[in-house]
Amino acid sequence: MLIIMGLDSPRKDIDKVKQKIIELNCTPHEIPGSSKLAIGITGPTHLLKEEDFQMMPSVQEVVRVTKKFKLVSRQMKNENTIIEFDKHTIGGKELCIIAGPCSVETREQTFEIAEQLKEMGIILFRAGAYKPRSSPYTFQGLKEKGLEILAEVKSKLGLKIVTEVLNSQSLQSVAEVADIIQIGARNMQNYSLIEEIGSLQKPVLLKRGMAAAVEDLLLSAEYIAAQNNFNIILCERGIRTFETATRNTLDLNAVPVIKQWSHLPIIVDPSHGVGIWDKVPQMAMAAVACGADGLMIEVHHDPENALSDGYQSLTPKKFKELLSKLNELAPIVNKELKLYEHAVSL
Amino acid sequence: MLIIMGLDSPRKDIDKVKQKIIELNCTPHEIPGSSKLAIGITGPTHLLKEEDFQMMPSVQEVVRVTKKFKLVSRQMKNENTIIEFDKHTIGGKELCIIAGPCSVETREQTFEIAEQLKEMGIILFRAGAYKPRSSPYTFQGLKEKGLEILAEVKSKLGLKIVTEVLNSQSLQSVAEVADIIQIGARNMQNYSLIEEIGSLQKPVLLKRGMAAAVEDLLLSAEYIAAQNNFNIILCERGIRTFETATRNTLDLNAVPVIKQWSHLPIIVDPSHGVGIWDKVPQMAMAAVACGADGLMIEVHHDPENALSDGYQSLTPKKFKELLSKLNELAPIVNKELKLYEHAVSL
Amino acid sequence: MLIIMGLDSPRKDIDKVKQKIIELNCTPHEIPGSSKLAIGITGPTHLLKEEDFQMMPSVQEVVRVTKKFKLVSRQMKNENTIIEFDKHTIGGKELCIIAGPCSVETREQTFEIAEQLKEMGIILFRAGAYKPRSSPYTFQGLKEKGLEILAEVKSKLGLKIVTEVLNSQSLQSVAEVADIIQIGARNMQNYSLIEEIGSLQKPVLLKRGMAAAVEDLLLSAEYIAAQNNFNIILCERGIRTFETATRNTLDLNAVPVIKQWSHLPIIVDPSHGVGIWDKVPQMAMAAVACGADGLMIEVHHDPENALSDGYQSLTPKKFKELLSKLNELAPIVNKELKLYEHAVSL
Amino acid sequence: MLIIMGLDSPRKDIDKVKQKIIELNCTPHEIPGSSKLAIGITGPTHLLKEEDFQMMPSVQEVVRVTKKFKLVSRQMKNENTIIEFDKHTIGGKELCIIAGPCSVETREQTFEIAEQLKEMGIILFRAGAYKPRSSPYTFQGLKEKGLEILAEVKSKLGLKIVTEVLNSQSLQSVAEVADIIQIGARNMQNYSLIEEIGSLQKPVLLKRGMAAAVEDLLLSAEYIAAQNNFNIILCERGIRTFETATRNTLDLNAVPVIKQWSHLPIIVDPSHGVGIWDKVPQMAMAAVACGADGLMIEVHHDPENALSDGYQSLTPKKFKELLSKLNELAPIVNKELKLYEHAVSL
């Protein structure tokens, strides 16, 4: 349930509403919009009555949310959620580009790629220090050592860091380095971890699980929002179907569906989605054309020798060509590719 | 197997090669390109030896085709197949747009929509006279009466007709009206019908089945090509997955895969693909952005009262807005939206 | 809608009800049960009112059918449909076993297998004369010649023939030989063909399509029932999923679902379902354990040299071992394995 | 890679082999069989040469393992792994039955069901104290309180406890109560947690993820085996497909596949697999018929008022009927339903 109040409602009226919600064994969540203030309610809301709130001072409207997910639904908040980083944003007009190698392999490899990306104007750098791998015998990431390298990339090059966390034990150290904490597809329903990450109040990149319906993805996001953390970026990265021509089936249909059902930003990872580098640029273009707020793309300067997922990585050269095409495409879908401003002078 | 010869090879050399293929119990297919002539060979090719052909006059090269599909593979013919209609083409630079209602419902409804589309410059008009329906108790199309209406649209408005055929019995009468004969998703593995349609040598629009891998689709196309009919337009229209947020899962990944594996044009039907009109424009844009040669879109002037699939049809107004966006997008992916030239003067 | 009358209702009362249905632009279907007579109604039944029939003589009850499929639903007819063949039945207590090679390859191969099966007491012999194949370059069956061989098996050995029909053109000749006409998975939504086969009033074996939900299968069966042909045997043969460890994913869950939703018999084809011979016996046992009315199993005396699907065929020896296990299992699920009575004396 | 030695090889020969493996930067795993001792090798085994070991004393054979999973593969250990509990076993001749409610709801409810099950002779009791739920607003289990109730069931009734762990934080307290620690489908690829659980050396019940291929399941099991913990029970519980007639698609094909690929026991959970109680008995029978080593079944004395998954729970009465049918079925597939011996005297 949702209580709509004026943005300029007196604090005492707002607190009275929140107090009443708590008395009724539910939890209030303040969700400020540009013209209204919404108080989202979660908990056993089926026990609440609209009349309990309709006559309270400053209350303009009481709305039932029909979806299973509440706080992340478009019904709860009509305006797009926009996440801010210094001068940059995700979820608004700006097209967000996250790029980098699958894994931190060595200090040299990481800096090599990070520097090339910075030169192109990229702001958000991705690379895994902890890697979830289906076999225990394959490269599992440099772990702590990898985080140290990422911290150095951050301090020396000024790039923002997006990196995955696999468990509670390493969450603190990942959170110290990461500007955006990534939850991978395999952990999309690891609710314990999600809740714990959500409670840190840092931006979270939540990837769709391989067998997750869009509704499931939004319910997982709800676990984060229920911690009063709305800094959530959803990520479509391919689902499992019978088709074997591509590694996964990138489900771009999820983009307009999520835009309709939720106020959260949605980006697309075509690298995992198709799993073969030579089809990544086409699917990246398609993702933006259907309304994605951004892209997450694997870039490696030496794909053949990458320790993980090399076959789905673009070379910096191919990636630059893609950026140039995206720059042409963005304005057609009312987006803007805003690259790091001193890019050329590096 | 594939025999590459010079384009200007003497006819007697070509005939000698074809004669030899026939003697070896295989079938030759002449596939002329812009600089070379290829003789495709189908049948028990594992019995053939490269040496049988390498020394024959005018033969430049002998190539094994490794895919299960042969004549439709990119290995067999490197250049894109371009299908020509008067001054228009499918598979080349021109972006092909097929539009119209799901079904012919009445003469009035059909002309109403067709006239509006013609005014927008649309050349290819789609509408079903025969409708395959999962329940025997729902509207099955106007059948012969529907074909008559389509024939009138063709003669009076000069539009080209795309319409589906369901069986051998009505093939002749469909073929008289249709400029492009459509094979629906449910019949993609009805090989008897496909072969019979293929043998008519008319352009065929082959829709991907709901559980068909891209390889299966190309193998079905191979049944048509094996009749020496290369006028084949493939169509992605959504596959069946666990996701229920959309009617089907439009698999745009198939577009770059098909572009790599085959020389045939591939178009996309976002109306069936997502199944909800308000997500059709986004997916149409995405389809073109990832390299599709065209679109097939359902348009109805009164969707709420459509006899079939109204909820996935765009109104003419929405469709026109989409055309305008596509016109902006096309040049970025090296395509051109060429509409009917006297559009405005109608 | 369904009109329930006494079994001994006077013919004139029955005819009066049927007459009224026709007047209301719907179609009546007599469905006799063991204690009641039901008149099923199809067509625009939403226009009918219960009151139209309730007061008519001999009418006991008027029932709405809520499923999309009507005549084949358990609501329409509570008792199991039992199909009779001489002294044998499908859909009752008897466990039906259909066995034989994928294809008729030669007269010798067919007789070799048929004779061994007859010796084991098998009554229903399967073998394809027309084979739908995903590639146009693989063996497509002996066609007319194959039917002749099957006719000879029938006349000489007295086996009943189950064989697939692919198109309208060959339907007449298939129907002359076949005791049960098979519609393959690829043609499950080829409604033209299904309707035509249904109208012949012969038993039909309808295989589930690879992407067909149980509801779709029952809707296809409804096309046959709407021809007043209730001799329909449904067949589960595996669906397409992401799992590649087996050729298809045999969906045994469909068996109890169909038993609940429909009165039609359901058999299982584990050979196509798992696609690897060494897992066929286990899945055959499972099928019977969960309530299937029978099995359809590929048997070949020389699987390595079979022209199609050899890797999923049991040898006669393995098949005999399976029969012996099935014989132990059947009584536990209230079935009986009734083999050809003079089996041993052959 | 695998080194086969005699069971009675001198310890010094065994140690020499293990020493050599360690020198080559790999890890040795002793896997004793009934007639041979195998030393499994994991790590960068592609660097090892057969010749390094072939001539060492007591070594009989050196074998390459071709599957991605190694220690859990049938190649590595030909005999079935049998897990022992007092006088009972899982993976051998005994058919293992795990039963109980989805969740611990109250002390009364838990004892009510546990006592009825004990009376029927059930030894392994399942109930969740921690429940992973797709929505944050649904019942998440009684947590610590639930574990206390389970501990009481264990001490008072002598039942063995099977219960799920969701995270590292509660692992220690779950492990104190649980005789078998369950890893749910949603955590099948939560490798951090799996590894940590595996290292406890207690029996682990590993459920297949909804989008996990059998190979993925075995690779997850490999994470446990790599901790030298072979007490692993695999569990098939349904995968996600397009079919919506059942909650999931119980994939019984996985049973014979796993029996062929791995030496680990495999049980089946038909309650989650079909998700509707009235189809659970049929699928339970089918699971045993195709070779499963056991079943995990939800039983609730008051399903309509269960706090989770009531619609898929059997009543004790229905469950008892199923036990009786399983008792008839077991010997046919060479199994034995061994219930708690003092069952009747309780």
Side-chain angles (χ1 to χ4, degrees):
Chain A
M1 203 189 268
L2 192 63
I3 315 291
I4 308 295
M5 305 180 75
L7 248 195
D8 52 357
S9 305
R11 176 47 52 186
K12 71 167 177 19
D13 288 358
I14 297 170
D15 286 345
K16 211 177 280 177
V17 167
K18 289 173 75 176
Q19 193 49 45
K20 176 149 204 115
I21 291 167
I22 291 164
E23 279 163 23
L24 293 165
N25 293 313
C26 291
T27 310
H29 305 260
E30 277 186 50
I31 310 171
S34 65
S35 63
K36 308 270 177 184
L37 171 71
I39 313 285
I41 312 179
T42 59
T45 56
H46 58 285
L47 302 172
L48 305 186
K49 285 187 289 244
E50 273 88 337
E51 306 88 81
D52 293 342
F53 300 95
Q54 259 150 356
M55 309 300 284
M56 292 182 75
S58 300
V59 168
Q60 298 179 352
E61 206 183 344
V62 180
V63 182
R64 285 268 169 208
V65 178
T66 51
K67 296 279 183 189
K68 279 204 216 165
F69 44 87
K70 308 290 176 189
L71 300 173
V72 305
S73 77
R74 184 70 81 179
Q75 285 175 296
M76 198 67 112
K77 175 162 174 271
N78 192 47
E79 294 157 68
N80 288 335
T81 285
I82 296 178
I83 297 165
E84 294 183 26
F85 290 92
D86 304 346
K87 284 162 272 173
H88 292 281
T89 58
I90 300 180
K93 192 157 195 273
E94 208 170 326
L95 186 68
C96 148
I97 309 286
I98 303 172
C102 180
S103 309
V104 178
E105 298 169 21
T106 63
R107 194 185 173 286
E108 290 62 39
Q109 166 255 14
T110 309
F111 268 82
E112 169 73 36
I113 300 168
E115 282 167 0
Q116 291 201 42
L117 290 172
K118 181 167 180 185
E119 213 163 327
M120 294 178 208
I122 291 302
I123 296 134
L124 292 157
F125 182 69
R126 65 144 290 157
Y130 293 90
K131 299 302 302 174
R133 301 302 296 276
S134 52
S135 165
Y137 308 127
T138 46
F139 177 62
Q140 311 264 325
L142 296 186
K143 302 181 181 179
E144 279 299 314
K145 177 71 197 148
L147 288 180
E148 284 166 29
I149 295 170
L150 288 176
E152 212 184 327
V153 165
K154 185 175 178 162
S155 65
K156 296 236 169 98
L157 302 182
L159 293 177
K160 304 259 173 236
I161 304 297
V162 183
T163 198
E164 184 169 355
V165 68
L166 294 188
N167 53 45
S168 185
Q169 292 88 329
S170 57
L171 175 55
Q172 209 48 54
S173 52
V174 169
E176 270 163 37
V177 176
D179 296 282
I180 300 178
I181 301 175
Q182 179 180 325
I183 300 170
R186 290 176 177 87
N187 278 316
M188 193 206 83
Q189 295 192 306
N190 180 350
Y191 303 120
S192 298
L193 184 60
I194 290 177
E195 234 170 10
E196 204 180 346
I197 295 169
S199 70
L200 297 182
Q201 306 299 326
K202 293 198 81 157
V204 177
L205 177 70
L206 180 64
K207 296 188 104 177
R208 182 181 182 186
M210 282 192 294
V214 168
E215 188 184 70
D216 299 321
L217 174 62
L218 290 171
L219 280 165
S220 282
E222 188 79 11
Y223 270 92
I224 300 168
Q227 308 290 323
N228 283 322
N229 182 352
F230 285 82
N231 292 310
I232 307 164
I233 303 149
L234 304 171
C235 182
E236 160 62 33
R237 48 76 74 205
I239 57 173
R240 264 209 172 168
T241 71
F242 63 82
E243 178 58 82
T244 55
T246 47
R247 187 182 179 190
N248 294 295
T249 297
L250 187 70
D251 177 17
L252 291 182
N253 310 280
V255 174
V257 171
I258 286 172
K259 280 285 159 201
Q260 185 177 53
W261 288 2
S262 175
H263 52 81
L264 295 176
I266 164 81
I267 69 168
V268 171
D269 172 354
S271 304
H272 283 86
V274 285
I276 320 164
W277 70 269
D278 61 5
K279 287 156 199 98
V280 168
Q282 297 91 317
M283 299 316 291
M285 292 289 281
V288 173
C290 70
D293 292 301
L295 295 166
M296 177 148 172
I297 291 179
E298 296 199 354
V299 178
H300 201 289
H301 69 299
D302 183 12
E304 298 92 84
N305 294 307
L307 291 182
S308 59
D309 287 353
Y311 48 89
Q312 69 191 30
S313 296
L314 292 182
T315 57
K317 184 168 171 293
K318 291 277 175 199
F319 177 66
K320 200 169 181 179
E321 288 167 20
L322 171 59
L323 278 184
S324 149
K325 293 306 270 180
L326 290 170
N327 197 32
E328 292 182 65
L329 174 60
I332 294 176
V333 288
N334 206 23
K335 288 277 180 187
E336 191 185 346
L337 187 65
K338 238 174 107 182
L339 298 174
Y340 192 77
E341 46 187 39
H342 301 298
V344 280
S345 65
L346 275 174
Chain B
M1 204 189 267
L2 193 62
I3 314 290
I4 308 295
M5 305 178 75
L7 249 196
D8 52 357
S9 304
R11 179 42 56 185
K12 72 169 173 26
D13 288 358
I14 299 169
D15 287 343
K16 212 177 279 177
V17 166
K18 291 173 73 176
Q19 192 49 44
K20 175 148 205 117
I21 292 167
I22 292 165
E23 278 163 24
L24 294 164
N25 291 312
C26 290
T27 311
H29 305 262
E30 275 188 53
I31 311 170
S34 65
S35 64
K36 308 270 177 184
L37 170 72
I39 312 286
I41 313 180
T42 59
T45 57
H46 57 285
L47 302 173
L48 306 187
K49 284 186 290 241
E50 273 88 336
E51 306 88 82
D52 292 342
F53 300 96
Q54 260 151 354
M55 310 300 284
M56 292 181 74
S58 300
V59 168
Q60 299 178 351
E61 209 183 343
V62 179
V63 183
R64 283 267 169 209
V65 177
T66 52
K67 296 279 184 190
K68 278 205 219 164
F69 42 88
K70 306 292 175 188
L71 300 173
V72 305
S73 77
R74 185 69 82 179
Q75 286 175 295
M76 198 69 109
K77 173 161 174 270
N78 192 49
E79 293 157 70
N80 288 334
T81 286
I82 297 177
I83 296 164
E84 293 182 29
F85 290 91
D86 303 349
K87 283 162 273 173
H88 293 281
T89 58
I90 300 179
K93 194 157 193 274
E94 207 170 329
L95 185 67
C96 147
I97 310 285
I98 303 172
C102 181
S103 308
V104 178
E105 299 169 18
T106 62
R107 196 186 172 284
E108 289 62 39
Q109 165 255 14
T110 310
F111 268 82
E112 170 71 38
I113 300 167
E115 281 167 1
Q116 291 201 43
L117 290 172
K118 181 166 182 188
E119 211 161 331
M120 294 177 208
I122 292 301
I123 297 134
L124 292 158
F125 182 71
R126 64 145 289 158
Y130 294 89
K131 300 300 303 173
R133 302 300 296 275
S134 51
S135 164
Y137 309 126
T138 46
F139 176 62
Q140 311 266 326
L142 296 187
K143 302 182 181 176
E144 279 298 317
K145 177 72 196 146
L147 288 181
E148 284 166 28
I149 295 170
L150 288 176
E152 210 183 327
V153 165
K154 186 175 176 163
S155 66
K156 294 237 170 96
L157 301 182
L159 294 177
K160 304 256 171 237
I161 303 298
V162 182
T163 198
E164 184 170 355
V165 68
L166 294 187
N167 53 45
S168 184
Q169 293 87 330
S170 57
L171 175 54
Q172 209 47 53
S173 51
V174 169
E176 269 164 36
V177 176
D179 295 283
I180 301 178
I181 301 175
Q182 179 179 326
I183 300 169
R186 291 177 177 87
N187 277 316
M188 193 206 83
Q189 296 191 307
N190 181 350
Y191 303 120
S192 299
L193 184 60
I194 290 176
E195 237 171 7
E196 203 180 345
I197 295 169
S199 70
L200 296 183
Q201 305 300 327
K202 293 199 81 157
V204 177
L205 178 70
L206 180 64
K207 295 189 106 178
R208 182 181 181 186
M210 282 193 294
V214 167
E215 189 185 70
D216 298 321
L217 173 62
L218 290 171
L219 280 165
S220 282
E222 187 80 9
Y223 270 93
I224 300 168
Q227 308 291 323
N228 283 322
N229 181 353
F230 284 82
N231 293 310
I232 307 165
I233 304 150
L234 304 172
C235 182
E236 161 61 34
R237 49 74 74 204
I239 57 174
R240 266 210 169 166
T241 71
F242 62 82
E243 177 59 83
T244 54
T246 45
R247 185 182 181 192
N248 293 296
T249 297
L250 187 70
D251 177 18
L252 291 182
N253 311 279
V255 175
V257 171
I258 286 171
K259 280 286 160 200
Q260 186 178 53
W261 289 2
S262 174
H263 53 81
L264 294 176
I266 164 81
I267 70 167
V268 171
D269 171 354
S271 304
H272 283 87
V274 286
I276 321 164
W277 70 268
D278 62 4
K279 287 156 200 98
V280 168
Q282 297 92 314
M283 299 316 290
M285 290 290 280
V288 172
C290 70
D293 292 301
L295 295 166
M296 176 146 173
I297 292 178
E298 294 198 355
V299 179
H300 200 287
H301 68 300
D302 183 12
E304 299 92 83
N305 295 308
L307 291 182
S308 59
D309 287 354
Y311 48 89
Q312 69 191 30
S313 295
L314 292 181
T315 57
K317 183 169 172 296
K318 291 279 175 198
F319 177 66
K320 198 169 182 178
E321 288 167 22
L322 171 59
L323 278 185
S324 149
K325 294 305 270 181
L326 290 171
N327 196 32
E328 291 181 66
L329 174 59
I332 294 176
V333 288
N334 206 24
K335 288 277 181 186
E336 191 185 348
L337 188 64
K338 239 174 107 182
L339 298 174
Y340 193 76
E341 46 189 37
H342 301 300
V344 280
S345 65
L346 275 173
Chain C
M1 204 189 269
L2 192 62
I3 314 291
I4 307 294
M5 307 179 74
L7 249 196
D8 52 357
S9 306
R11 177 45 54 186
K12 71 169 175 25
D13 289 358
I14 298 170
D15 287 345
K16 210 177 280 179
V17 166
K18 290 173 75 176
Q19 192 49 44
K20 175 147 204 117
I21 291 166
I22 292 166
E23 278 163 22
L24 293 164
N25 291 314
C26 290
T27 311
H29 305 261
E30 275 187 54
I31 312 171
S34 65
S35 63
K36 308 269 176 183
L37 171 71
I39 312 284
I41 312 180
T42 58
T45 57
H46 57 284
L47 302 174
L48 305 187
K49 284 186 289 240
E50 273 88 335
E51 306 88 84
D52 292 342
F53 299 95
Q54 261 151 355
M55 310 299 284
M56 292 182 74
S58 301
V59 168
Q60 299 179 351
E61 208 183 342
V62 179
V63 183
R64 284 267 169 208
V65 177
T66 52
K67 295 280 184 189
K68 278 205 217 164
F69 44 89
K70 306 291 176 191
L71 300 174
V72 304
S73 78
R74 184 68 82 179
Q75 286 175 296
M76 198 68 110
K77 173 160 175 271
N78 193 47
E79 293 157 70
N80 288 335
T81 286
I82 297 177
I83 296 164
E84 293 182 30
F85 291 91
D86 303 348
K87 285 163 271 173
H88 294 280
T89 58
I90 300 180
K93 195 158 193 275
E94 204 170 331
L95 186 67
C96 146
I97 309 285
I98 303 172
C102 181
S103 308
V104 178
E105 298 170 18
T106 63
R107 195 185 171 285
E108 290 63 38
Q109 165 256 14
T110 309
F111 267 82
E112 170 72 38
I113 300 168
E115 280 166 2
Q116 291 200 44
L117 290 172
K118 181 166 182 188
E119 213 162 329
M120 294 178 209
I122 292 301
I123 296 133
L124 292 157
F125 182 71
R126 65 146 289 159
Y130 294 89
K131 300 301 302 173
R133 302 302 296 277
S134 51
S135 164
Y137 309 126
T138 46
F139 177 62
Q140 311 266 324
L142 296 187
K143 304 183 179 176
E144 279 298 317
K145 177 72 195 149
L147 288 180
E148 284 166 28
I149 295 170
L150 288 175
E152 210 182 329
V153 165
K154 186 174 177 164
S155 65
K156 295 236 170 99
L157 301 182
L159 294 176
K160 304 256 173 238
I161 302 298
V162 182
T163 199
E164 183 170 356
V165 69
L166 293 188
N167 53 45
S168 184
Q169 291 88 329
S170 56
L171 175 55
Q172 209 47 53
S173 51
V174 169
E176 270 163 38
V177 176
D179 295 283
I180 301 178
I181 301 175
Q182 178 180 325
I183 300 170
R186 291 176 177 88
N187 278 315
M188 195 207 83
Q189 295 191 308
N190 181 349
Y191 302 121
S192 299
L193 184 62
I194 290 177
E195 236 170 8
E196 202 180 346
I197 294 169
S199 70
L200 295 183
Q201 306 299 328
K202 293 199 81 158
V204 177
L205 177 70
L206 179 64
K207 296 190 104 178
R208 181 181 183 187
M210 282 193 294
V214 168
E215 189 185 70
D216 298 321
L217 174 62
L218 290 171
L219 280 165
S220 282
E222 187 79 10
Y223 269 92
I224 301 168
Q227 308 290 325
N228 283 321
N229 181 353
F230 285 82
N231 292 310
I232 307 165
I233 304 150
L234 303 172
C235 182
E236 161 62 33
R237 47 76 73 204
I239 57 174
R240 266 212 169 165
T241 71
F242 63 81
E243 177 60 81
T244 54
T246 46
R247 185 181 180 191
N248 294 295
T249 297
L250 187 71
D251 177 18
L252 291 181
N253 311 279
V255 174
V257 171
I258 286 171
K259 280 284 159 201
Q260 186 177 54
W261 289 1
S262 174
H263 52 81
L264 294 176
I266 164 80
I267 69 167
V268 171
D269 171 355
S271 305
H272 283 86
V274 285
I276 321 165
W277 70 269
D278 61 5
K279 287 154 201 100
V280 168
Q282 297 92 315
M283 300 316 291
M285 291 290 281
V288 173
C290 70
D293 293 300
L295 294 167
M296 177 147 172
I297 292 179
E298 295 198 355
V299 179
H300 200 288
H301 68 301
D302 183 13
E304 299 92 82
N305 295 308
L307 291 182
S308 60
D309 287 355
Y311 49 90
Q312 69 191 29
S313 296
L314 292 182
T315 57
K317 184 169 171 296
K318 291 278 175 199
F319 177 66
K320 200 170 182 179
E321 288 167 21
L322 171 59
L323 277 185
S324 150
K325 293 306 270 181
L326 290 170
N327 196 33
E328 291 182 66
L329 174 60
I332 294 177
V333 289
N334 206 23
K335 289 277 180 185
E336 191 186 346
L337 188 64
K338 239 175 105 181
L339 299 175
Y340 192 77
E341 44 188 39
H342 302 299
V344 279
S345 66
L346 276 173
Chain D
M1 203 190 269
L2 193 62
I3 314 289
I4 308 294
M5 306 178 75
L7 248 195
D8 53 356
S9 305
R11 177 46 53 186
K12 69 168 180 16
D13 289 357
I14 298 170
D15 287 344
K16 211 177 279 176
V17 166
K18 291 174 73 176
Q19 193 49 45
K20 175 149 204 115
I21 291 168
I22 292 165
E23 279 163 23
L24 293 165
N25 293 314
C26 290
T27 310
H29 305 261
E30 274 187 51
I31 310 171
S34 65
S35 63
K36 308 270 178 182
L37 172 71
I39 312 285
I41 311 179
T42 58
T45 56
H46 58 284
L47 302 173
L48 306 186
K49 285 187 288 243
E50 273 88 337
E51 306 87 82
D52 292 342
F53 300 96
Q54 259 150 356
M55 310 299 285
M56 291 181 76
S58 300
V59 168
Q60 298 178 352
E61 208 183 343
V62 179
V63 182
R64 285 268 169 208
V65 178
T66 52
K67 296 278 183 190
K68 278 203 216 166
F69 43 88
K70 307 290 176 190
L71 300 173
V72 304
S73 77
R74 185 68 82 180
Q75 286 175 295
M76 198 67 111
K77 175 162 172 271
N78 192 48
E79 294 157 69
N80 288 335
T81 284
I82 297 178
I83 296 165
E84 294 183 26
F85 291 91
D86 305 348
K87 286 162 272 172
H88 293 280
T89 57
I90 300 179
K93 193 157 193 270
E94 208 171 326
L95 186 66
C96 148
I97 310 285
I98 303 171
C102 181
S103 308
V104 178
E105 298 170 20
T106 64
R107 194 186 172 285
E108 290 62 39
Q109 165 255 14
T110 310
F111 268 82
E112 170 72 36
I113 299 168
E115 282 167 0
Q116 291 201 43
L117 290 173
K118 182 167 180 185
E119 215 163 325
M120 293 178 209
I122 291 301
I123 295 134
L124 292 158
F125 182 70
R126 64 144 291 156
Y130 294 89
K131 299 300 303 173
R133 301 300 298 275
S134 52
S135 164
Y137 309 126
T138 46
F139 177 63
Q140 312 264 323
L142 296 186
K143 303 182 181 177
E144 280 298 315
K145 178 71 196 147
L147 287 181
E148 285 166 28
I149 295 170
L150 288 176
E152 213 183 327
V153 165
K154 184 175 179 161
S155 65
K156 295 236 169 99
L157 302 182
L159 294 176
K160 304 259 173 236
I161 303 298
V162 183
T163 198
E164 183 169 356
V165 69
L166 293 188
N167 53 45
S168 183
Q169 291 89 329
S170 57
L171 175 55
Q172 208 49 54
S173 51
V174 169
E176 270 164 36
V177 176
D179 296 283
I180 300 178
I181 302 175
Q182 178 180 324
I183 300 169
R186 291 177 177 88
N187 277 316
M188 194 206 83
Q189 295 192 307
N190 181 349
Y191 303 119
S192 298
L193 184 60
I194 290 177
E195 237 170 8
E196 203 179 347
I197 295 169
S199 70
L200 297 181
Q201 305 299 326
K202 293 198 81 158
V204 178
L205 178 69
L206 179 64
K207 295 189 105 178
R208 181 181 182 185
M210 283 193 294
V214 167
E215 188 184 70
D216 298 322
L217 174 62
L218 290 171
L219 280 165
S220 282
E222 187 80 9
Y223 270 92
I224 300 169
Q227 308 290 323
N228 282 321
N229 182 352
F230 284 82
N231 292 309
I232 307 164
I233 304 149
L234 304 172
C235 182
E236 161 61 34
R237 47 76 74 205
I239 56 173
R240 266 210 169 166
T241 71
F242 62 83
E243 178 59 81
T244 54
T246 46
R247 186 182 180 191
N248 293 297
T249 298
L250 186 70
D251 177 18
L252 291 181
N253 311 280
V255 174
V257 171
I258 286 171
K259 280 287 160 199
Q260 185 177 54
W261 289 2
S262 174
H263 51 82
L264 295 176
I266 163 82
I267 70 167
V268 171
D269 172 354
S271 304
H272 283 87
V274 286
I276 319 164
W277 70 269
D278 61 6
K279 287 156 200 99
V280 168
Q282 297 92 314
M283 299 316 290
M285 292 290 280
V288 173
C290 70
D293 293 300
L295 294 166
M296 177 148 174
I297 291 180
E298 296 199 352
V299 178
H300 200 287
H301 68 299
D302 183 12
E304 297 91 83
N305 295 307
L307 292 181
S308 58
D309 288 353
Y311 48 89
Q312 69 191 30
S313 295
L314 291 182
T315 58
K317 184 169 171 295
K318 291 278 175 200
F319 177 65
K320 200 169 180 179
E321 288 167 21
L322 171 58
L323 278 185
S324 150
K325 293 306 270 180
L326 290 170
N327 197 32
E328 292 182 66
L329 174 60
I332 295 176
V333 288
N334 205 23
K335 289 277 182 187
E336 191 185 347
L337 188 65
K338 239 174 106 182
L339 299 173
Y340 192 77
E341 47 188 39
H342 301 297
V344 280
S345 65
L346 275 172

